[in-house]
Amino acid sequence: MANGAGRVDLDGKPIKPITICMIGAGGFIGSHLCEKLMTETPHKVLALDVYNDKIKHLLEPDTAEWKDRIQFHRINIKHDSRLEGLIKMADLTINLAAICTPADYNTRPLDTIYSNFIDALPVVKYCSENNKRLIHFSTCEVYGKTIGSFLPKDHPLREDPSFYVLKEDVSPCIFGSIEKQRWSYACAKQLIERLVYAEGAENGLKFTIVRPFNWIGPRMDFIPGIDGPSEGVPRVLACFSNNLLRREPLKLVDGGESQRTFIYIKDAIEAVLLMIENPERANGHIFNVGNPNNEVTVRQLAEMMTEVYAKVSGEGAIESPTVDVSSKEFYGEGYDDSDKRIPDMTIINRQLGWNPKTSLWDLLESTLTYQHRTYAEAVKKATSKPVAS
């Protein structure tokens, strides 16, 4: 399969090998996408990132069969004159680079806006000027809050899907006030989407925009103090994993009432591969990529993760598995949240025939098995070290 012989696209046409410039290839999504491209396709990848720890296993010289198809370039796209040359060498650019951790939106709003808007500008410009296709990774956060969230708590229309299901071509983008700096990320991401769209309309840029809805799985984020900063606050899955590994209560921000849908990274990567290999069906579209069947409140997620982790680790749950904290205490001043995030799947079904497969229980089991295998020993060592007085 890896040599790609006889592979065809959704319209039955043979798939030609292409070169992909992947910006942010060393991250969580990039690492899974590189893996998929190396093991199942004939495509070449120019992997650009500041770090390569998550793709080291693909770059080892002994991983012979694809060593000629992946090249790592250590680049910070902020200020590197090599960027345009690498985009020119490729047929397709995929931009995954972003600051995408809610804990940063409040505390580092300037970095957040710069990284998600200003730093992405040259990528869009070079693709447009050199007539190269772009797959730009955005976020489901661009939808902000649902229309339903503005209705009174007990209003019957809150139960009406047209007030909360998020549609790429219809739903408005609703953010909180300017002092709620949590929206700095969503706003920067929305503006770059509008710019990409405008380049398509005015200058003929061939683009696809991806809006991920909570993709989770192995290699996501970091475990504070083990492979990331001790004071760092990763996203919910890694936060809860960290608590479980350390046998601490899981912190529920504002009671864990927010609702989210979670999708397994491997399902999501299938969708991205379809976009890569079916440009005629994907160009000019914005795609929600999520799993509407895996909806839970953050509190329910905490309960499920506690149960799954007890199973995979063989250790019973601690006495008080969760503790409530206020968002101000956890994220600092200026935090705000979106209430509910359910992706509408009509467009991706119609264009790419794609549907997610993995249930929430199964994806948590596979992810927590990985977290336990990868981190349990390191956490035990770190927590048993005597502290200098």
Side-chain angles (χ1 to χ4, degrees):
M1 185 70 167
N3 63 9
R7 295 177 72 248
V8 294
D9 68 12
L10 293 171
D11 297 307
K13 293 191 206 124
I15 292 168
K16 293 191 184 79
I18 58 167
T19 298
I20 299 166
C21 173
M22 195 187 301
I23 300 165
F28 163 55
I29 296 172
S31 71
H32 286 275
L33 185 51
C34 285
E35 227 167 48
K36 181 97 172 159
L37 289 165
M38 290 304 108
T39 55
E40 292 181 26
T41 81
H43 308 308
K44 272 190 179 155
V45 175
L46 307 173
L48 282 55
D49 212 319
V50 184
Y51 305 107
N52 64 5
D53 314 11
K54 294 183 184 190
I55 52 169
K56 267 219 162 65
H57 61 296
L58 300 172
L59 302 170
E60 303 294 334
D62 315 337
T63 344
E65 61 179 298
W66 55 69
K67 69 173 189 301
D68 301 329
R69 289 197 293 117
I70 185 164
Q71 266 178 23
F72 179 68
H73 296 263
R74 197 175 299 278
I75 277 186
N76 181 338
I77 61 164
K78 261 202 217 23
H79 36 64
D80 201 302
S81 54
R82 292 174 294 172
L83 180 62
E84 185 173 13
L86 289 160
I87 287 174
K88 279 182 169 171
M89 281 166 67
D91 304 289
L92 160 69
T93 293
I94 300 178
N95 192 3
L96 291 153
I99 286 180
C100 51
T101 320
D104 290 326
Y105 307 161
N106 269 8
T107 52
R108 300 167 57 202
L110 285 173
D111 282 347
T112 300
I113 293 165
Y114 271 76
S115 119
N116 290 295
F117 181 67
I118 308 288
D119 298 349
L121 285 174
V123 177
V124 181
K125 181 171 166 267
Y126 296 149
C127 287
S128 187
E129 288 173 353
N130 294 292
N131 201 16
K132 300 292 183 178
R133 185 176 171 221
L134 171 66
I135 297 180
H136 184 81
F137 271 70
S138 183
T139 168
C140 60
E141 290 235 355
V142 297
Y143 292 109
K145 301 175 183 225
T146 65
I147 305 172
S149 70
F150 293 90
L151 296 167
K153 276 269 185 282
D154 48 3
H155 200 289
L157 283 176
R158 273 185 171 241
E159 300 306 308
D160 178 342
S162 61
F163 281 78
Y164 62 78
V165 173
L166 304 168
K167 302 187 174 198
E168 299 97 328
D169 52 347
V170 180
S171 300
C173 304
I174 308 173
F175 303 154
S177 63
I178 297 296
E179 63 200 38
K180 300 287 191 197
Q181 297 208 91
R182 186 231 209 273
W183 301 108
S184 57
Y185 172 68
C187 196
K189 283 293 213 183
Q190 186 201 147
L191 192 55
I192 198 79
E193 275 202 32
R194 291 194 182 276
L195 184 108
V196 168
Y197 196 91
E199 279 286 359
E202 280 190 43
N203 297 323
L205 171 69
K206 294 185 179 73
F207 72 87
T208 302
I209 290 169
V210 184
R211 290 181 181 163
F213 280 69
N214 295 78
W215 298 9
I216 59 178
R219 300 198 288 274
M220 182 177 185
D221 294 348
F222 58 91
I223 295 297
I226 305 297
D227 57 359
S230 311
E231 66 290 350
V233 181
R235 286 169 288 188
V236 67
L237 180 97
C239 257
F240 283 174
S241 300
N242 183 39
N243 298 141
L244 290 165
L245 286 157
R246 295 174 190 277
R247 299 190 64 71
E248 301 164 346
L250 278 56
K251 290 178 176 164
L252 298 179
V253 175
D254 294 342
E257 297 305 304
S258 292
Q259 290 167 292
R260 293 290 182 268
T261 53
F262 293 93
I263 177 172
Y264 191 39
I265 183 69
K266 292 194 171 15
D267 289 352
I269 292 297
E270 292 279 344
V272 180
L273 186 60
L274 287 167
M275 293 172 208
I276 292 170
E277 296 190 327
N278 294 275
E280 284 159 24
R281 288 170 175 253
N283 283 345
H285 287 284
I286 299 173
F287 292 115
N288 288 341
V289 180
N291 189 336
N293 307 315
N294 285 348
E295 192 192 24
V296 280
T297 65
V298 173
R299 180 178 289 278
Q300 288 167 323
L301 176 73
E303 288 161 359
M304 274 181 93
M305 284 181 70
T306 302
E307 198 181 330
V308 172
Y309 191 70
K311 181 185 164 193
V312 303
S313 67
E315 299 168 7
I318 61 172
E319 204 172 311
S320 313
T322 62
V323 57
D324 286 8
V325 295
S326 73
S327 55
K328 188 175 172 184
E329 196 185 327
F330 193 81
Y331 287 119
E333 203 66 67
Y335 188 74
D336 194 9
D337 208 353
S338 45
D339 49 318
K340 204 171 163 67
R341 292 205 195 127
I342 300 189
D344 180 85
M345 306 299 282
T346 313
I347 295 180
I348 198 163
N349 278 163
R350 184 188 70 216
Q351 294 302 115
L352 303 172
W354 175 83
N355 271 306
K357 306 181 192 72
T358 314
S359 72
L360 187 55
W361 181 272
D362 288 349
L363 72 86
L364 288 176
E365 196 167 359
S366 111
T367 305
L368 288 173
T369 300
Y370 169 86
Q371 302 281 46
H372 182 68
R373 224 182 31 230
T374 311
Y375 295 112
E377 284 311 308
V379 168
K380 277 199 183 82
K381 279 197 194 93
T383 46
S384 62
K385 276 184 189 150
V387 180
S389 53

